[in-house]
Amino acid sequence: MKHLRLPVVLAAGTLVLTACAGVGNKENSGGSDQSSADSTPSGTLNVMGFSGEDEVAQSRISAFKSAYPTVTVKNNKGDFDAQQFLTAVSSGNPPDVVYMARNLIGTYAAKGAIQPLDDCIKDNDIDTSQYREAAMNEVKLKDKTYGIPEFYTVSTNLISGKALKSAGVQTSDIQTAHWDKLEQTVKKLYVAKAGRPARIGYDPKMPDFFPLWAMANGAELVKPGGEPNLNDPKAVEALQYTIKLINLQGGWSNFKTFRDTFDLFGEKNQFTKDQLAAFPIENWYVNVLRDARKHGLELQSTPFTNREGEPISTIGGSAWVVPKGAKNFDAACKWAKTLTSVETWHKAAEARMQTVQKDKSFFTGLFTGNKLADEEIKAKYLKPTGDAGFDQAINNYYDVLDKAKALNPSPAGAEIEAAWKNAVGKALGGSATPQAALDQAQSEAKTAFDKVSQG
């Protein structure tokens, strides 16, 4: 999942967001239509933030168009852009439905840029029990629901079997329970040439995976009430440890420069070129790796665990939200319901299977915010791939789905994320110690939290 450019847009968006405060429900949303299970939406539906290019997306868009032929869908393709969104809302000409990362919802909900969907859910008979509980928790703020969950991303360790063989390392040595042992494994797998990385032994995926490492060490970066907890001693320790791993492999500057050369989406990627032995990564990536098998990829996998050895993962994913001033609330509700329903996800799975059969490949799973759909699709389509390494990776992703946790929702969620990302960047670059960087991040995030809580 692509990360949003929050640090740049937050300051510019503050006044815009504040101006949006006070939105309650669809009656003051700027639209005249009411939404109910048997209503027939019409007019234009303007969609933002949804690329909608692959067969999984196209099949679901088609499902909506078939169900509601009187609605004209205008999809402004491209990823969510916070500045574009805020400008549209403040100008009084917002899109009708927006696809955004769930961890942003608390911030936009607190400021009134998006509106509660409780009436939408009730009037359209949307059964929220079908969605994963962790995903539903992410779209709530103060007992109101602001989004309908879409995809659901979790992480596990993916490993190059060839790299392990060359270093005499066992697959079981790629583990995150015993940090001292992982250090020793990294030393065995790391290869340098002229003092610079030639093969990374284990990439901790910093800065983006800092929340996962903090969770692994028992830290909760956001408290249940939404208050930041960025400088928890266990979070500081996790940052210190991951920086230590990177320093064992050439130091941040050399490490990042080398990592930036990886052709992550290519058939000849960092595994086939022996540039990387192992790293944690989200479930979508196992689908990308299928084509690398013909170039010698020997995939293996282990769960990412906490220090007690229990599989864990943070959660990523997006949701459908309705902005303040949306002109076609009824169609927006129907869109969110249709694109995330069990029936529509089955159509998406069928479309994916057609692609799999055409490519003479194999199904690697479909991971959505709809628990019921996932279970039915897995039972129907997931078969042994003929590649034990892929089978293990896929199983590891499925096994952690119900164990994964998101950061607690917060009315300052975007500001908290911006603060920790900035802090981790400083610590990696050496301009501040992990303790000092996270102390400053905590201060900044707490100020933002207090401000929005009082407002």
Side-chain angles (χ1 to χ4, degrees):
M1 188 177 73
K2 297 183 179 179
H3 292 278
L4 304 170
R5 297 166 290 180
L6 287 169
V8 178
V9 303
L10 278 172
T14 302
L15 291 177
V16 179
L17 282 169
T18 304
C20 297
V23 177
N25 52 39
K26 64 178 179 284
E27 279 73 31
N28 58 2
S29 68
S32 59
D33 52 339
Q34 300 294 303
S35 184
S36 65
D38 56 0
S39 62
T40 304
S42 59
T44 299
L45 179 72
N46 288 297
V47 182
M48 175 184 281
F50 190 56
S51 294
E53 299 288 353
D54 69 4
E55 72 277 7
V56 170
Q58 287 297 320
S59 62
R60 294 185 298 132
I61 293 172
S62 295
F64 176 83
K65 290 180 176 179
S66 296
Y68 303 104
T70 55
V71 176
T72 301
V73 177
K74 289 190 176 179
N75 185 21
N76 181 19
K77 293 181 180 179
D79 294 326
F80 176 78
D81 183 294
Q83 189 64 68
Q84 181 185 9
F85 169 67
L86 296 174
T87 299
V89 173
S90 65
S91 69
N93 189 32
D96 298 297
V97 67
V98 178
Y99 190 61
M100 69 166 59
R102 291 193 293 270
N103 62 350
L104 300 180
I105 286 176
T107 289
Y108 292 134
K111 299 299 185 181
I114 58 178
Q115 52 186 305
L117 298 183
D118 300 278
D119 288 344
C120 165
I121 291 167
K122 179 182 176 182
D123 296 342
N124 284 276
D125 297 330
I126 300 176
D127 179 9
T128 57
S129 69
Q130 68 188 306
Y131 305 115
R132 296 189 181 277
E133 183 179 357
M136 284 302 299
N137 289 341
E138 287 186 284
V139 301
K140 292 180 179 179
L141 188 69
K142 295 182 178 179
D143 299 323
K144 290 185 178 181
T145 302
Y146 288 87
I148 303 297
E150 257 250 1
F151 286 104
Y152 194 86
T153 60
V154 292
S155 299
T156 200
N157 290 318
L158 296 185
I159 305 163
S160 165
K162 282 189 173 181
L164 298 194
K165 289 177 185 176
S166 71
V169 171
Q170 301 299 312
T171 304
S172 59
D173 291 331
I174 306 299
Q175 51 74 40
T176 50
H178 305 291
W179 286 6
D180 290 343
K181 290 183 180 179
L182 182 57
E183 275 185 50
Q184 300 309 311
T185 301
V186 164
K187 291 176 182 177
K188 293 177 184 177
L189 288 166
Y190 175 63
V191 175
K193 289 183 180 178
R196 297 177 183 273
R199 181 177 72 199
I200 291 172
Y202 185 88
D203 177 6
K205 289 292 294 295
M206 299 296 279
D208 291 345
F209 275 39
F210 171 61
L212 180 59
W213 286 96
M215 179 188 293
N217 204 33
E220 193 169 39
L221 294 182
V222 181
K223 295 180 180 179
E227 183 177 342
N229 184 39
L230 301 181
N231 60 348
D232 185 303
K234 293 180 179 178
V236 175
E237 183 183 21
L239 181 52
Q240 291 169 335
Y241 176 75
T242 52
I243 291 174
K244 185 177 183 180
L245 287 185
I246 289 168
N247 287 340
L248 288 173
Q249 303 176 90
W252 177 241
S253 179
N254 290 329
F255 185 97
K256 183 179 185 301
T257 298
F258 179 64
R259 188 173 68 180
D260 286 347
T261 67
F262 292 176
D263 185 8
L264 200 67
F265 295 94
E267 293 181 2
K268 296 181 179 180
N269 53 53
Q270 68 286 344
F271 284 146
T272 61
K273 291 182 178 179
D274 198 30
Q275 297 171 314
L276 175 70
F279 65 169
I281 194 166
E282 297 94 336
N283 39 308
W284 53 263
Y285 193 59
V286 74
N287 195 54
V288 173
L289 286 177
R290 290 179 308 175
D291 292 337
R293 296 167 71 236
K294 60 190 174 189
H295 298 288
L297 171 65
E298 296 179 10
L299 186 67
Q300 296 185 26
S301 178
T302 59
F304 191 101
T305 74
N306 61 20
R307 300 190 74 174
E308 286 71 50
E310 300 163 340
I312 62 165
S313 178
T314 49
I315 296 169
S318 297
W320 292 105
V321 303
V322 179
K324 174 197 176 185
K327 296 178 177 61
N328 203 339
F329 188 91
D330 187 24
C333 288
K334 298 288 194 299
W335 172 274
K337 177 180 180 178
T338 302
L339 264 70
T340 64
S341 73
V342 172
E343 294 77 15
T344 305
W345 281 122
H346 270 286
K347 292 178 180 178
E350 290 167 8
R352 172 58 56 84
M353 288 305 297
Q354 290 176 9
T355 300
V356 165
Q357 291 163 5
K358 178 181 177 183
D359 295 342
K360 297 181 180 179
S361 186
F362 50 79
F363 183 60
T364 60
L366 195 61
F367 302 88
T368 81
N370 191 314
K371 181 178 173 68
L372 182 58
D374 279 5
E375 291 173 346
E376 291 183 0
I377 289 168
K378 179 185 178 184
K380 185 174 183 179
Y381 294 115
L382 189 65
K383 311 294 181 186
T385 66
D387 186 309
F390 272 83
D391 288 341
Q392 185 62 61
I394 294 166
N395 287 337
N396 286 342
Y397 285 123
Y398 272 108
D399 287 347
V400 82
L401 288 175
D402 291 327
K403 303 179 181 78
K405 295 181 180 179
L407 297 184
N408 289 311
S410 172
E415 293 87 345
I416 291 172
E417 179 175 325
W420 71 250
K421 283 188 174 180
N422 187 43
V424 173
K426 288 180 179 179
L428 287 167
S431 63
T433 66
Q435 183 72 63
L438 290 174
D439 283 345
Q440 182 180 349
Q442 173 64 17
S443 177
E444 294 170 354
K446 183 66 162 58
T447 298
F449 174 77
D450 289 344
K451 184 176 180 180
V452 72
S453 297
Q454 293 166 3

